[in-house]
């Protein structure tokens, strides 16, 4: 083989190697913080009427798991933080998650403290790619139970990720949600 053919062959192999390289893992997270003021409390039914910053009203049930419920007073501020994250990466068959793995955690205020709590859940699974439509930014995948789903991708980074996928790729997906709630006297920050 002459030198120019060897160089061309090496370049071709490099290009093929780059094309078959799996995309870098991606992740996206979102955090939302809201506050509301306690307008009324029905201690017998454990119902709490709240008014948000924009004047929206809601009534919520503070179940028996809400520790220190008797410390909630009209005028208190309820702070809610919601966090969600999703990540995806191409996996080798030996790295695939079997089924859906779920983990969760819950925290509550200690006896006598101001009411507060947090709950988090994480789910991980592996799906198989059936098709990618780059013109519509959709990905079709098959879950391990055989259910086929088509998902429209809005995030530009995720769109770049799916453009590098091909049928048969295994993608490990992890999703986490967490909610933290605390009650504090109006005008005070922190627990």
């Amino acid at each position: 083989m002459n030198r120019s053919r060897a160089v061309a062959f090496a370049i071709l192999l490099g290009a093929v190697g780059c094309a078959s390289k799996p995309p870098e893992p991606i992740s996206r997270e979102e955090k939302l913080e809201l506050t509301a003021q306690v307008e009324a409390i029905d201690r017998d039914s454990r119902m709490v009427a709240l008014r948000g910053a924009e004047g929206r009203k809601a009534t919520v049930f503070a179940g028996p798991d809400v520790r220190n419920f008797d410390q909630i007073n009209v005028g208190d501020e309820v702070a809610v933080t919601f966090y969600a994250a999703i990540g995806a990466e191409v996996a080798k068959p030996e790295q695939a998650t079997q089924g859906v793995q779920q983990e969760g955690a819950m925290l509550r205020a200690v006896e006598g403290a101001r009411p507060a709590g947090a709950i988090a859940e994480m789910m991980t699974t592996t799906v198989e790619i059936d098709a990618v439509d780059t013109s519509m930014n959709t990905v079709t995948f098959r879950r391990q139970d055989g259910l086929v789903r088509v998902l429209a991708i809005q995030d530009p980074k995720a769109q770049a990720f799916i453009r590098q996928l091909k049928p048969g790729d295994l993608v490990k997906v992890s999703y986490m949600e967490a909610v933290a709630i605390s009650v504090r006297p109006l005008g005070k920050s922190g627990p």
Side-chain angles (χ1 to χ4, degrees):
M1 185 183 305
N2 67 27
R3 183 167 159 65
S4 62
R5 278 190 180 163
V7 170
F9 187 69
I11 291 172
L12 178 62
L13 280 179
V16 169
C18 290
S20 65
K21 181 181 171 190
E24 290 294 316
I26 62 162
S27 64
R28 182 172 184 219
E29 56 187 58
E30 185 176 350
K31 183 177 177 183
L32 178 64
E33 297 177 311
L34 303 168
T35 58
Q37 187 172 2
V38 176
E39 285 198 323
I41 304 168
D42 183 332
R43 297 213 183 270
D44 294 331
S45 68
R46 297 181 68 97
M47 299 299 285
V48 180
L50 301 170
R51 182 177 39 84
E54 296 177 1
R56 292 186 181 164
K57 295 183 180 188
T59 302
V60 296
F61 173 65
D65 288 339
V66 176
R67 193 176 277 167
N68 307 321
F69 175 76
D70 291 336
Q71 290 189 35
I72 301 172
N73 297 304
V74 171
D76 283 352
E77 182 179 71
V78 177
V80 179
T81 302
F82 175 77
Y83 175 81
I86 189 166
E89 65 180 319
V90 173
K92 295 177 183 172
E94 63 272 13
Q95 298 169 320
T97 300
Q98 297 303 310
V100 176
Q101 293 181 352
Q102 291 184 282
E103 296 179 46
M106 183 174 117
L107 299 171
R108 298 189 310 167
V110 297
E111 290 287 342
R114 297 289 298 175
I119 189 166
E121 184 174 30
M122 183 167 181
M123 296 183 297
T124 303
T125 192
T126 300
V127 299
E128 183 177 347
I129 302 302
D130 281 349
V132 177
D133 183 341
T134 56
S135 66
M136 299 295 289
N137 291 313
T138 61
V139 62
T140 304
F141 60 89
R142 182 177 312 276
R143 295 186 341 190
Q144 291 176 18
D145 62 6
L147 181 69
V148 176
R149 301 266 326 257
V150 178
L151 189 62
I153 307 298
Q154 304 294 321
D155 182 69
K157 288 181 183 177
Q159 290 172 351
F161 177 80
I162 69 163
R163 284 188 193 105
Q164 298 176 65
L165 297 175
K166 60 189 180 310
D169 279 348
L170 298 177
V171 177
K172 190 176 206 178
V173 180
S174 297
Y175 179 72
M176 184 188 137
E177 280 187 346
V179 177
I181 300 172
S182 63
V183 179
R184 55 189 178 237
L186 186 60
K188 296 210 176 179
S189 60

